[in-house]
Amino acid sequence: MSLPIISADQRLAEPRGIKGCIFGKSGIGKTSLLWTLDPERTLFMDLEAGDLAIEGWAGDSIRPRTWTECRDFAVFIGGPNPALRDEQPYSPAHYAAVCDRFGDPAALDRYDTIFVDSITVAGRLCFGWCKGQPEALSEKTGKPDVRGAYGLHGREMIGWLTHLQHTRAKNVWFVGILDEKLDDFNRKVFQPQIDGSKTGLELPGIVDEVITMMELKADGGDPYRAFVCHTINPWGFPAKDRSGRLDQVEEPHLGRLMAKIRTAATPPSDRLTYAPPPADPAGADQSQPQS
């Protein structure tokens, strides 16, 4: 057996989907982003049952109602993980059992993009399932152990997200609600609305793109919706762009955003720039989002 080196040409020739999440407040238009995607090539994972905004959209959808179904769809979409034991979720045995029920996974070949709405509801389903597991009960008293439930919830959610993230040939987008809170110093902070803290903290390290969809307001102008895409942004929104192709603010059109991510990359020497801080930080542009 030869050393299984993957050459640069082989790696560059591989199809590679984009994995990302889009957070924003309720009503900002996250579900409506489906209108910006090709309905023939998009599969909608409808966890919220809030599809009124896309009434008339011509694409296909699936509606998992339990955490077990969420895991089944994840392994059906992403395939088996050969590193896992048969009794574990996402293992080859789990995949075989799901294929027996759902049929040939080639039925998913016609989809390029999986749109999951929303990760907030997936977290709720997961936490409800976790509270009924033996790990969520105290070994001494048999009473519910909240710490055990949260620990299991964090591991389950990270495992689910990581498995979908490894679906190399498809784009996978999660949308979720963004909460606005005040910290101990009365400063605005923004956090994804997901049960437990582990998923929200680790999610930016799993996906390629973290986008905040928010209403911004230009100086003296009307408010407008936009994608905020850079980690360093003046509003403190959660954001990240692994591709290096996006501007700090992009139009809220998911189809055109993915097309831009697939354009030719800017050389790293042009992206990894450094600018000294302004002499008067208070004079820096600090335009605020509309509350």
Side-chain angles (χ1 to χ4, degrees), residues 117-197:
D117 185 14
S118 67
I119 191 173
T120 303
V121 175
R124 290 173 189 158
L125 292 176
C126 179
F127 191 58
W129 178 85
C130 291
K131 287 193 292 186
Q133 301 306 305
E135 286 185 60
L137 300 175
S138 169
E139 292 183 355
K140 294 182 178 178
T141 66
K143 294 182 178 179
D145 178 358
V146 177
R147 291 179 301 176
Y150 274 114
L152 179 59
H153 172 263
R155 294 193 297 275
E156 281 287 328
M157 285 296 293
I158 296 302
W160 187 67
L161 292 166
T162 303
H163 193 78
L164 286 170
Q165 192 269 343
H166 279 80
T167 310
R168 292 194 67 84
K170 297 188 188 302
N171 310 307
V172 182
W173 286 93
F174 306 92
V175 299
I177 297 173
L178 186 67
D179 283 338
E180 178 182 323
K181 300 179 179 178
L182 296 177
D183 66 9
D184 294 340
F185 300 97
N186 210 33
R187 297 174 300 193
K188 284 183 182 179
V189 294
F190 300 93
Q191 297 176 341
Q193 188 183 101
I194 306 174
D195 284 328
S197 60

Side-chain angles (χ1 to χ4, degrees), residues 223-264:
Y224 62 94
R225 286 183 293 185
F227 284 162
V228 177
C229 309
H230 284 189
T231 304
I232 301 174
N233 64 77
W235 308 284
F237 294 141
K240 164 192 168 184
D241 173 31
R242 190 173 276 169
S243 75
R245 296 168 173 86
L246 302 180
D247 293 326
Q248 178 175 271
V249 176
E250 296 279 355
E251 66 169 324
H253 191 293
L254 188 53
R256 285 200 277 270
L257 190 88
M258 287 195 286
K260 186 171 184 178
I261 291 171
R262 290 198 175 91
T263 57

Side-chain angles (χ1 to χ4, degrees), residues 66-87:
T66 66
W67 180 241
T68 300
E69 290 179 347
C70 289
R71 296 199 304 192
D72 289 348
F73 281 122
V75 76
F76 193 62
I77 293 168
N81 182 344
L84 298 176
R85 300 185 300 275
D86 283 349
E87 69 272 18

